[in-house]
């Protein structure tokens, strides 16, 4: 079985990220995969597309929180078993091979090595839940930002690649979720461009 360092070192093309996005580490509640990580990644891609996020550093801004809640409402409506909370995926995404949390005291080191992708670095120590637990305030106090792989950020800037990754996330984590108010999936399906999966 491939360890986390090996996974990080090999991820450099769209196919790798499709594989990673298809197998996110998610909690299961009543047999359903938690949608939080998928919603966060969709929100990030929306902000990359609109050029609000302009580099691989993902700060827990008010705009990201609003986008997360908007994406949640768009695809999940009002879930009968899950609550929209951005702090849990923002923190737990560190267990995915493309995401690293940068603590406040690590930020100086990040600036020195900003051109070196996280995927090329050594195995990163997992961060502990900060005092105050799952709240936007405690996350902001503890973490300067999260950083995704530089290569993933580059891929997210391509419209066809974004569409492909969105389809993976929506199909794998957001369809067939029990909701009290079901969103309209026909709208986003019509908006997606016709794209071919290329190996």
């Amino acid at each position: 079985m491939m360890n986390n360092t090996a996974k990080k070192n090999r991820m450099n093309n769209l196919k790798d990220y499709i594989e990673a996005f298809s197998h996110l580490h998610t909690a299961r509640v009543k047999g359903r995969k938690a949608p939080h990580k998928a919603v966060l990644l969709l929100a990030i891609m929306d902000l990359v597309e609109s050029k609000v996020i302009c580099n691989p550093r993902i700060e827990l801004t008010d705009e990201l929180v609003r986008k997360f809640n908007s994406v949640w409402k768009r695809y999940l409506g009002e879930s009968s078993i899950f609550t929209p909370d951005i702090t849990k995926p923002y923190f737990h995404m560190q267990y995915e091979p493309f995401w690293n949390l940068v603590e406040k005291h690590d930020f100086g080191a990040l600036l020195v090595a900003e051109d070196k992708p996280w995927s090329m670095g050594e195995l990163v120590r997992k961060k502990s839940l900060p005092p105050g637990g799952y709240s936007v305030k405690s996350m902001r106090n503890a973490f300067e930002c999260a950083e995704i792989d530089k290569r993933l950020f580059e891929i997210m800037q391509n419209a066809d690649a974004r569409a492909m990754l969105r389809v993976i996330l929506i199909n794998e984590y957001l369809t067939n979720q029990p909701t009290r108010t079901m969103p309209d999936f026909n709208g986003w399906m019509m908006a997606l461009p016709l794209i071919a999966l290329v190996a």
Side-chain angles (χ1 to χ4, degrees):
M1 183 168 182
M2 191 175 297
N3 65 33
N4 207 31
T5 303
K7 283 182 184 177
K8 283 180 177 286
N9 287 334
R10 76 171 177 83
M11 294 187 73
N12 58 14
N13 61 52
L14 178 58
K15 187 175 179 182
D16 295 331
Y17 291 107
I18 287 173
E19 176 71 12
F21 279 29
S22 299
H23 297 92
L24 297 173
H25 300 88
T26 60
R28 282 186 176 266
V29 178
K30 297 183 179 178
R32 307 286 181 166
K33 294 177 184 177
H36 301 76
K37 286 183 178 180
V39 171
L40 177 55
L41 289 168
L42 288 167
I44 289 167
M45 284 191 285
D46 282 357
L47 294 179
V48 169
E49 181 176 7
S50 62
K51 309 241 184 286
V52 172
I53 294 177
C54 301
N55 60 60
R57 292 182 200 141
I58 312 300
E59 296 180 34
L60 190 54
T61 61
D62 290 342
E63 190 149 16
L64 180 58
V65 173
R66 280 192 298 271
K67 180 56 73 173
F68 176 90
N69 291 329
S70 170
V71 171
W72 184 284
K73 184 176 180 182
R74 185 189 324 157
Y75 294 110
L76 290 163
E78 187 181 340
S79 174
S80 59
I81 58 176
F82 295 110
T83 303
D85 178 0
I86 194 172
T87 62
K88 290 181 180 176
Y90 191 84
F91 178 75
H92 290 292
M93 198 84 78
Q94 66 177 310
Y95 294 98
E96 306 304 335
F98 51 80
W99 184 277
N100 182 57
L101 283 173
V102 181
E103 291 176 303
K104 293 279 189 180
H105 60 76
D106 289 341
F107 195 55
L110 170 65
L111 292 176
V112 172
E114 62 184 359
D115 291 332
K116 184 176 181 182
W118 284 108
S119 59
M120 300 301 290
E122 297 176 1
L123 184 63
V124 179
R125 178 182 59 84
K126 298 304 179 214
K127 310 301 191 268
S128 300
L129 190 64
Y134 297 109
S135 75
V136 170
K137 182 179 179 181
S138 66
M139 293 292 162
R140 286 175 177 166
N141 287 341
F143 305 113
E144 190 68 36
C145 62
E147 183 161 275
I148 60 174
D149 287 349
K150 185 176 178 182
R151 180 65 182 133
L152 175 57
F153 176 71
E154 291 169 354
I155 286 170
M156 284 183 174
Q157 292 176 79
N158 178 278
D160 287 344
R162 277 196 311 272
M164 211 176 295
L165 292 172
R166 282 175 174 139
V167 168
I168 297 297
L169 292 170
I170 292 163
N171 286 345
E172 192 68 32
Y173 306 98
L174 303 182
T175 56
N176 301 316
Q177 287 279 4
T179 59
R180 295 193 185 100
T181 55
M182 182 57 74
D184 175 22
F185 288 106
N186 293 327
W188 61 259
M189 282 300 287
M190 295 300 291
L192 289 175
L194 292 174
I195 51 178
L197 286 174
V198 189

